[in-house]
Amino acid sequence: MPEHPTAGDGESFDQTARDAVYRAIFSRRDVRSHFLLDALDDAVLARLLIAAHHAPSVGYMQPWNFIVIRDALRRQRVRDLFLAAREQELPNIAAERQALYRKLKLEGICESALNLCITCDRRRSENSPLGRWHNPQMDLYSTVCAVQNFWLAARAEGIGVGWVSILDTLALRELLQIPEHAVPVAYLCVGRVSEFAPKPDLESRGWAKRLKLSDLIMSETFSGPGEAALKEMVDRMA
């Protein structure tokens, strides 16, 4: 990666570069298993964080912060939070799916090289309402863009990332000493892996399947039937 990457001259990427972008998108996985014991080189982590920091943000607010978590004891305490939260979630799962839920691998907190908590500082743009006046959630959405940038860059580097969402936010705040004005948006397990699964784990395990895109495309209004030619092309290319 160049030290100071630039936007370029407006030309589209060549075919090799386009293929690489789409490969990262289509082969990205929410990794829970297959983490290796290998440490993650700081130069690689730095590249991923730089990619995240170049995410789009409404009003150029850049509301994100990145908490790198390596300490084994702290990570074990986070895992304890996960286990408690999973038990709280279980009763809300349909009875016929609870056995499958218990078998799902839903985190790699202690197995991965490190953990990363990405937060949103909600005070960072309080004096600049650009883009937030009518939608105050845009700082949170912008932070999610940073998560996606990090994730795709990680896939290009051969690094696995798993998003752990089954956590009690208040307990996580206390453990990581996150102040009230910052919101923990994503808790990620990060590290090298032995493989990337050909399909998302939840699809392979029968929890869900990818929806048919053409059923989700509408035209002009939410109830618009969608453009037939576009939907046909999507079905053909999917």
Side-chain angles (χ1 to χ4, degrees), residues 6 32 37-38 64 100 132 148 157 174 194 208 223:
T6 59
R32 314 300 182 147
L37 297 177
D38 307 27
W64 41 72
L100 175 57
R132 290 187 64 202
Q148 181 76 335
E157 296 272 5
E174 181 178 356
S194 59
S223 58

Side-chain angles (χ1 to χ4, degrees), residues 38-57:
D38 307 27
L40 189 62
D41 187 81
D42 277 353
V44 177
L45 179 58
R47 289 197 294 270
L48 303 185
L49 291 172
I50 291 168
H53 187 50
H54 281 73
S57 63

